[in-house]
Amino acid sequence: GYRVLKHIGTQYDYSFVFGKKDRDGLCKADSKRAKHKKRLLLGGIPSNDRLKDYTRCKKHILVIPNYTDPQFIKRQVKGYRPFTKQVFDNLNIRRLADKYGCGILVKEKNKQDERSLLLRESLSPYDGITFMKDCLDDNKLVAESACVITALSTMAFKPIQLGVPTAVLHRHGALGNFADFPGLINENDGKALRKTLDYQEKNGRYDGFVEDALEGGCDFTSIDKYVSRIKQVLGEN
């Protein structure tokens, strides 16, 4: 949906994109300008390279909602789904806490226009749930997760890259590059949640998905990809 190819040759000459899937999708969406395909440089997410330096542990179940206020969505971002107590209950996340033997950590986004305490207040009757907005180290937060239940966002790539069992909630954000992620589930399907988490726990990371979505994502070498491609561009010119 974003018009990278449209501005190549006018506002800039090259653009980095996440990976092969991103590049091919952009060219398909704007076939008239697909001749500029070679100017879309594959780079992954360099800041995620540091994930390899963290030790995995199962300290908490990490829940990362997007919007939490149904009225705000109704007024401002129609089509998305809010993460509410009903979604929390439908997914039976407390049952997962019993399974993993750990607490639940909800990492909220800073959304100034929403009623920020709405989700906290609605989940207050439940024990074992903590909330966080600001975090000094997102990578550490992810590495210490037994599993992750997340809205659609760039941050969702972190646990997927690290091999933390991850479920991504459909319609809880822009679909982006997650349309073919095997752990994409509907918000009311607690059975699908348990199934995908159990599968990933047993079989490990979805390497094929990571390889297509993020250049350098499997071996955490996105920084090297950026540097080598910048050198290549400079050498050509």
Side-chain angles (χ1 to χ4, degrees):
Y2 60 103
R3 302 182 180 278
V4 172
L5 288 170
K6 180 179 179 180
H7 303 297
I8 286 183
T10 56
Q11 297 183 23
Y12 43 80
D13 296 313
Y14 298 87
S15 176
F16 275 101
V17 295
F18 285 154
K20 292 179 289 186
K21 187 195 310 182
D22 206 10
R23 180 192 61 195
D24 294 345
L26 287 165
C27 291
K28 183 177 180 181
D30 193 355
S31 58
K32 291 182 179 179
R33 300 182 177 88
K35 61 184 180 181
H36 295 311
K37 181 177 181 178
K38 291 184 178 180
R39 295 195 179 197
L40 297 178
L41 311 177
L42 310 185
I45 305 176
S47 61
N48 285 8
D49 285 359
R50 291 186 59 226
L51 285 165
K52 67 180 183 297
D53 300 325
Y54 290 78
T55 301
R56 286 278 312 279
C57 66
K58 299 179 180 180
K59 187 175 180 180
H60 50 243
I61 292 172
L62 181 60
V63 180
I64 310 174
N66 189 2
Y67 296 98
T68 58
D69 184 347
Q71 293 304 315
F72 179 81
I73 287 184
K74 188 176 180 180
R75 294 190 307 269
Q76 303 289 341
V77 283
K78 296 178 182 179
Y80 286 0
R81 300 290 298 165
F83 191 95
T84 62
K85 179 179 181 295
Q86 182 177 356
V87 173
F88 185 90
D89 289 340
N90 288 343
L91 292 174
N92 210 348
I93 296 175
R94 287 193 297 166
R95 180 180 173 184
L96 288 176
D98 293 336
K99 173 186 175 181
Y100 287 108
C102 60
I104 299 165
L105 175 60
V106 180
K107 170 65 175 71
E108 301 170 289
K109 290 190 175 183
N110 284 297
K111 293 184 179 295
Q112 297 179 355
D113 295 330
E114 282 196 283
R115 290 179 289 170
S116 60
L117 297 179
L118 184 64
L119 184 62
R120 296 188 185 210
E121 292 170 352
S122 65
L123 294 179
S124 60
Y126 298 154
D127 295 327
I129 304 176
T130 56
F131 291 81
M132 172 189 295
K133 275 198 173 180
D134 298 312
C135 177
L136 293 176
D137 192 340
D138 287 342
N139 290 334
K140 185 173 185 289
L141 194 69
V142 168
E144 293 180 344
S145 301
C147 64
V148 176
I149 303 161
T150 177
L152 290 147
S153 73
T154 305
M155 187 174 173
F157 282 121
K158 289 180 181 289
I160 294 171
Q161 273 187 263
L162 196 55
V164 177
T166 302
V168 180
L169 300 178
H170 189 39
R171 294 185 65 192
H172 281 245
L175 187 59
N177 288 329
F178 293 95
D180 61 340
F181 177 58
L184 184 68
I185 66 167
N186 292 321
E187 61 177 14
N188 297 316
D189 200 340
K191 183 177 180 180
L193 172 64
R194 293 190 298 275
K195 183 177 180 180
T196 190
L197 295 179
D198 288 346
Y199 181 89
Q200 293 175 60
E201 188 79 40
K202 181 180 178 180
N203 296 283
R205 183 176 68 179
Y206 286 115
D207 284 348
F209 172 83
V210 176
E211 184 177 356
D212 288 342
L214 300 176
E215 187 77 357
C218 282
D219 55 0
F220 304 100
T221 57
S222 290
I223 292 173
D224 293 339
K225 306 299 183 185
Y226 260 74
V227 172
S228 65
R229 268 139 204 170
I230 289 172
K231 286 182 176 179
Q232 181 181 352
V233 168
L234 293 175
E236 290 175 352
N237 292 280

